[in-house]
Amino acid sequence: MLGESHALVDDFPDYKDKIHSLKHMDVEFATMAREYHSLDHQIRGLEMNDVPTSDEEFARLKMRRVELKDQLYNRIINSDR
């Protein structure tokens, strides 16, 4: 859906407490989560406001968001191991 949020706690509601904890206890996780949130906000702004941007740039932003989400998810599920 156009402009839909991809917030980590929305996408991974079962891990809400773990995400919150990792943001406070793991500096690298917190840094990646901030970048992810910033990218998500930027992408939604472009979608919702129909801001002109090149297809390549838009695809690059979305790909980076996917990469970060994968990295964050892996840290979430492996944080107790």
Side-chain angles (χ1 to χ4, degrees):
M1 175 180 249
L2 194 63
E4 182 178 339
S5 173
H6 289 271
L8 289 175
V9 294
D10 292 340
D11 285 350
F12 308 120
D14 293 343
Y15 297 107
K16 180 180 179 181
D17 292 337
K18 190 176 269 193
I19 290 167
H20 180 74
S21 176
L22 284 168
K23 283 182 178 180
H24 288 66
M25 307 283 282
D26 183 331
V27 174
E28 188 175 356
F29 183 90
T31 300
M32 288 190 304
R34 279 192 301 274
E35 182 183 354
Y36 178 84
H37 174 75
S38 177
L39 275 171
D40 185 50
H41 182 75
Q42 183 179 4
I43 290 166
R44 284 188 296 123
L46 291 170
E47 290 173 337
M48 292 171 53
N49 297 314
D50 201 26
V51 175
T53 186
S54 70
D55 289 341
E56 294 82 16
E57 176 65 9
F58 193 64
R60 186 191 67 75
L61 293 172
K62 290 178 87 171
M63 180 56 74
R64 178 63 183 148
R65 181 176 65 182
V66 168
E67 290 169 354
L68 279 169
K69 182 184 259 183
D70 287 346
Q71 291 171 0
L72 289 162
Y73 179 72
N74 283 321
R75 288 183 80 105
I76 291 166
I77 62 170
N78 292 309
S79 67
D80 288 338
R81 294 183 184 172

